[in-house]
Amino acid sequence: MEKPKSLTELQTKMNQIITVKKHQILAKKPVEKQYLNYTDFNDLCDAVKQSYCEYMQTTEVPKPIEAACHLALAVVSPSIWIRIKHLKMAIALLAGLAGIATILSGVAIALGWTATVLDTVVAFFVGGAVFGPIVLVVGGIGLFGIAAYFAYAAKDPTDLSDKAEATLRETLKKTIAELWEVRDFEQK
């Protein structure tokens, strides 16, 4: 498989992988269950990671790609405890990454967060000075408060699935752009 020649080509290929895998999963489901659940998103994320490695001819999934998958899984997690597990993994994987705000802005777009919420979550991830809603961290609630920002209060599983998919697509778009920029810098 030939490496993509441009950032746009790679982003397009990854979006196609998500679309194709989603349709493969949904084709096996009855009409009343035409949405992706947590298990389906695990399969979708596995396809994304495998495809990225194939396209970029690498054996190791970059940490930001892994983190993007954990952020999407946090949205669709069936419980707060599983959501917290995915957030902890994303935090660990994104630690020290310069573009963390850019990547998290993908989540903000997908979930419709305000700038204040985005600033709060970014501050939590990077450990910066915190004000406003992030006071939850100071109060000891910390990860539970941030997990609440990732919870999408939809009763409709289709809507929840759509939000998690949008999170995956947006965070991958931002993540891949960050990785492409680093790749270009290293090649110079």
Side-chain angles (χ1 to χ4, degrees), residues 39 41 50 52 55 72 80 95 143 147 177:
T39 302
F41 266 94
Q50 179 184 352
Y52 182 88
Y55 289 139
I80 193 162
L143 208 47

Side-chain angles (χ1 to χ4, degrees), residues 4-7 56 176-188:
K5 292 176 179 49
S6 71
L7 170 60
M56 298 308 290
I176 290 169
E178 290 285 323
L179 290 169
W180 194 268
E181 194 174 295
V182 169
R183 179 188 148 276
D184 282 349
F185 180 77
E186 288 174 349
Q187 289 180 350
K188 290 180 181 178

Side-chain angles (χ1 to χ4, degrees), residues 16-137:
Q16 289 170 340
I17 290 299
I18 293 170
T19 301
V20 168
K21 185 65 176 176
K22 175 184 175 181
H23 289 299
Q24 288 173 348
I25 293 168
L26 293 178
K28 298 175 187 174
K29 292 186 168 210
V31 175
E32 67 275 5
K33 301 245 183 200
Q34 288 294 299
Y35 57 86
L36 300 179
N37 60 30
Y38 178 74
T39 302
D40 299 329
F41 266 94
N42 273 305
D43 293 344
L44 183 61
C45 287
D46 287 344
V48 163
K49 292 183 282 189
Q50 179 184 352
S51 297
Y52 182 88
C53 288
E54 287 174 10
Y55 289 139
M56 298 308 290
Q57 300 172 357
T58 183
T59 56
E60 190 173 322
V61 179
K63 289 179 182 181
I65 299 290
E66 286 270 0
C69 289
H70 282 290
L71 292 170
L73 286 165
V75 173
V76 76
S77 292
S79 75
I80 193 162
W81 304 112
I82 295 171
R83 184 173 303 116
I84 287 172
K85 178 186 99 172
H86 285 294
L87 290 173
K88 283 182 178 180
M89 289 299 300
I91 290 167
L93 290 164
L94 292 173
L97 186 65
I100 192 167
T102 303
I103 292 166
L104 290 175
S105 71
V107 177
I109 291 167
L111 297 182
W113 290 349
T114 64
T116 303
V117 172
L118 176 59
D119 291 345
T120 298
V121 173
V122 169
F124 181 80
F125 270 71
V126 299
V130 292
F131 299 101
I134 203 69
V135 161
L136 293 172
V137 174

